Amino acid sequence: MSGSPRPAQRIQRIEVRGVTRAFGATLALRGVNVGFDAGTISLLEGPNGAGKSTLLAVVGTVIRPNSGSVWYDPVGDEPEEVRRHLGWVAHDSHCYRELGARENVLLAARLHGLGQRSLWGDVAARVDIAHLAERPVGTLSRGQKQRVALARALVHSPSVLLLDEPWTGLDQKSAGLLEQVLRDERDRGSLIIVVSHGEGVAERLGARRVRIDGGRIAT
């Protein structure tokens, strides 16, 4: 993406090592060991409550494991440093409802130390939201909000993309656009992890399937 320099270092591999995470008496992750490589898309699959979103949140430094660790090669495991390299699309867009699409995206850019207003044009074109620049996000459809969230995730050219059920509520055009962006990012060398129940997604994206069941990686 022009106008948005990537960090000098890029995450090449993520290693999840013996990660356990409990919520009260509920054990969501049970000694999970799994690795993810740059230039690949990994699809986290499994039944509801299997631990998919919890694992994504641990990898994304949103939740700390009770035991075990996550290593981000070559940048280490310091959360503040790791977050510079992450792009997030959560199940909820988490955009500011009263702000327009452009201001939401540029606010995300500023949080990453990027101030160029030209960044908007680049990323808006990629996800087809230029016409929504001044529209308050609270007035947008679910699919439009998700495209704004995707633009925010991409604006700082992260080396890792984490997406939780990003296809929910998308029409066919938006879903196709999302899939093309993911393929493009993979081809640029990004490491992509997606939680999804969608049929045929792995085949369309050429993604590796990682199945989680009962808080464990299913083999």
Side-chain angles (χ1 to χ4, degrees):
M1 189 186 305
S2 63
S4 51
R6 298 173 186 267
Q9 284 187 316
R10 287 176 60 77
I11 291 173
Q12 297 299 319
R13 181 170 172 83
I14 297 175
E15 283 278 353
V16 179
R17 303 167 177 171
V19 163
T20 296
R21 186 58 162 95
F23 298 96
T26 301
L27 202 54
L29 298 175
R30 304 166 182 260
V32 169
N33 294 285
V34 65
F36 305 94
D37 290 305
T40 66
I41 301 173
S42 296
L43 205 64
L44 302 185
E45 299 180 321
N48 291 334
K52 304 181 299 298
S53 293
T54 301
L55 177 57
L56 196 73
V58 168
V59 169
T61 74
V62 175
I63 295 175
R64 294 178 63 88
N66 296 115
S67 61
S69 63
V70 185
W71 183 259
Y72 306 80
D73 184 39
V75 305
D77 61 0
E78 173 57 41
E80 288 302 318
E81 175 60 24
V82 169
R83 287 170 192 150
R84 296 178 58 239
H85 299 263
L86 303 182
W88 258 103
V89 179
H91 185 67
D92 188 301
S93 73
H94 294 299
C95 293
Y96 291 95
R97 293 175 54 84
E98 69 279 8
L99 297 181
R102 175 164 41 207
E103 282 308 307
N104 266 283
V105 172
L106 292 179
L107 176 59
R110 289 194 293 273
L111 290 174
H112 286 280
L114 302 171
Q116 306 98 310
R117 293 190 68 82
S118 62
L119 292 175
W120 161 255
D122 295 335
V123 74
R126 289 191 69 190
V127 300
D128 190 25
I129 57 170
H131 60 295
L132 304 175
E134 307 304 329
R135 285 271 304 276
V137 167
T139 70
L140 303 181
S141 70
R142 161 76 181 175
Q144 290 170 331
K145 289 175 184 175
Q146 283 298 89
R147 280 188 277 152
V148 175
L150 180 59
R152 292 199 319 169
L154 293 170
V155 73
H156 60 296
S157 296
S159 57
V160 176
L161 275 176
L162 306 174
L163 305 97
D164 195 352
E165 296 285 1
W167 285 273
T168 302
L170 297 189
D171 60 22
Q172 187 174 2
K173 178 183 176 181
S174 294
L177 185 151
L178 169 62
E179 291 175 18
Q180 187 58 54
V181 167
L182 294 183
R183 284 188 288 264
D184 290 345
E185 287 299 304
R186 176 200 59 202
D187 294 345
R188 291 168 188 257
S190 295
L191 188 160
I192 303 169
I193 307 174
V194 188
V195 171
S196 178
H197 292 287
E199 291 293 329
V201 172
E203 291 77 13
R204 292 196 301 273
L205 294 177
R208 165 202 181 200
R209 284 181 150 141
V210 178
R211 183 166 179 81
I212 305 177
D213 201 350
R216 295 185 173 92
I217 301 296
T219 57

